[in-house]
Structures are given as C-alpha cells and as structure tokens.
Amino acid sequence: MSIPLIETDHLIIREFVAADADAHRQISEQSFNISIAAPDHESWMRWTLLNYRELDKLYQPPYGDRAVVLKTNGELIGIVGVVPSIVPWGVIDTLRAPDEPPNYLVSPEFGLFWAIRADQRGKGYAGEAAHTIIDYLFQTMHVRRVIATTEHANAASQRVMQKLGMTIHRNPSDKPFWFEVVGVLDHPWHKRDIMSSTAGR
C-alpha cells in the first residue's frame, strides 16, 4: 500500500531518504514554529524510513511524510503526508443528530497534512501536492473520507482546504483544545450515494 513516486505538473512526490534530513528539519521548524533537537530529529528520520517498509509489510495505510520536490531542479521544498487523525465529530453542531447532545467521542480518520517552505508558498504547491495524495487515497485505496485540521487563525491552510473541495467545519467551543477547524472531503462515490438517497425521499 505504499505511495509510489508520483509526478505532477510541477512536482515530484516521493519518500524521504536519509540525505533529506536537514531539509526536512528546516521545513518542519519553519512551518510549525518549533525547534527540533538534532538527536530527536535523527531518531524521527530513522523511524520514518523504517515505517515505509514496515507498514507496507503489514498491508497498513501509507502513513507518514513524503517529500515535495520541484521537477525543474530536484529541490526539496515541502512535506505532504497522511496521519491517523482522531476527530470529535460530536462537538460540531451541524454534524450531530437533532436530539444528540454535544460530546467528545472520537473516530479515527485519514488525516492529510502539508507544509511548504516559506519562500515557495503562494505558488499553489501545497494544493498540488495534497491533491495528488487525495487522488491516491481515493482511486487506489478507496478511502471513504479524507480530512485535514488546522487552527482558526490559519487562513492560508483553510484556503488550501477550500481549493481541494473540502467542506470546512468549525468547533464552536474551546474543547477539546486541540480541535479547532476540520476540512472534510468525501469520496465521490459516497457523495453520489448521499445525493441519490436524499433525492429519493
């Protein structure tokens, strides 16, 4: 189930290799405004490289980071990937049944994420890379739904979600503190089934 090397109009999406460690660390620190100690990142990189093979052996989803590389010069400019993401759907008013009270029960989802180096943002690369992963998840893995999460203040990430066709839902509460905005994109087959069911009522 591993994601193969994929080429788009401007990008190559591929697995990370050991030589990418410094670039990955720089993009991660810059994008998430964090500082990563060198030993911690080295450990993470070893785990990531092993993770590709071990998940594939177990026929598990291709969780983890992939490198976003420019086709023109091979420069590594970003990260895109899939993580197991838990979502407390019950905190969103519009997604609960009419008589269902707010609740914090969670379910696991295929969480999409992306990070592009600051000097390469605003060129559509985040959307191009994310769309490629969505296509793989829908067409090859037949995933029912893909989600992405972000903060209320992260307007740029929300714009990417909208360009991907996601429906954006906002948590009206401050609980749980780690869940603010979620973008949801259903597989086209599932959307069709919902529309057919609604039309038949």
Side-chain angles (χ1 to χ4, degrees):
M1 286 190 179
S2 61
I3 299 175
L5 183 149
I6 303 173
E7 294 191 22
T8 69
D9 289 343
H10 306 99
L11 307 171
I12 295 172
I13 310 299
R14 61 163 173 81
E15 293 181 351
F16 277 98
V17 296
D20 297 325
D22 289 343
H24 182 280
R25 182 182 176 192
Q26 177 188 29
I27 294 167
S28 297
E29 290 184 331
Q30 185 183 79
S31 299
F32 302 109
N33 195 28
I34 57 175
S35 178
I36 307 173
D40 292 338
H41 191 264
E42 290 169 4
S43 176
W44 178 92
M45 182 60 76
R46 289 194 299 271
W47 171 80
T48 292
L49 302 186
L50 288 171
N51 204 42
Y52 294 141
R53 303 286 80 80
E54 297 306 316
L55 287 176
D56 195 39
K57 288 178 187 177
L58 295 170
Y59 303 101
Q60 292 300 302
Y63 294 126
D65 294 15
R66 264 69 185 175
V68 179
V69 177
L70 289 177
K71 284 177 69 172
T72 53
N73 58 14
E75 185 178 6
L76 200 165
I77 62 161
I79 307 165
V80 67
V82 184
V83 294
S85 182
I86 58 172
V87 179
W89 298 107
V91 303
I92 301 174
D93 299 339
T94 55
L95 297 181
R96 292 196 307 271
D99 59 347
E100 182 183 3
N103 63 81
Y104 303 107
L105 298 176
V106 301
S107 66
E109 303 288 343
F110 286 90
L112 181 69
F113 70 92
W114 54 83
I116 300 296
R117 205 174 65 200
D119 64 319
Q120 296 293 336
R121 293 173 191 165
K123 302 179 181 180
Y125 294 147
E128 188 171 336
H131 192 273
T132 298
I133 300 298
I134 290 172
D135 281 350
Y136 177 84
L137 293 175
F138 281 170
Q139 296 176 16
T140 302
M141 292 188 60
H142 309 295
V143 169
R144 177 190 179 281
R145 175 170 56 204
V146 176
I147 67 105
T149 60
T150 191
E151 300 79 30
H152 292 302
N154 194 337
S157 184
Q158 293 172 46
R159 283 194 296 271
V160 174
M161 292 180 188
Q162 290 173 326
K163 290 178 180 178
L164 292 171
M166 291 182 166
T167 301
I168 295 179
H169 302 279
R170 303 178 189 280
N171 181 3
S173 167
D174 59 357
K175 298 178 182 179
F177 72 90
W178 43 265
F179 182 72
E180 297 186 9
V181 177
V182 60
V184 181
L185 185 64
D186 288 311
H187 191 290
W189 290 355
H190 181 61
K191 287 183 179 179
R192 182 193 61 192
D193 290 343
I194 292 175
M195 293 176 64
S196 297
S197 176
T198 303
R201 292 177 181 174

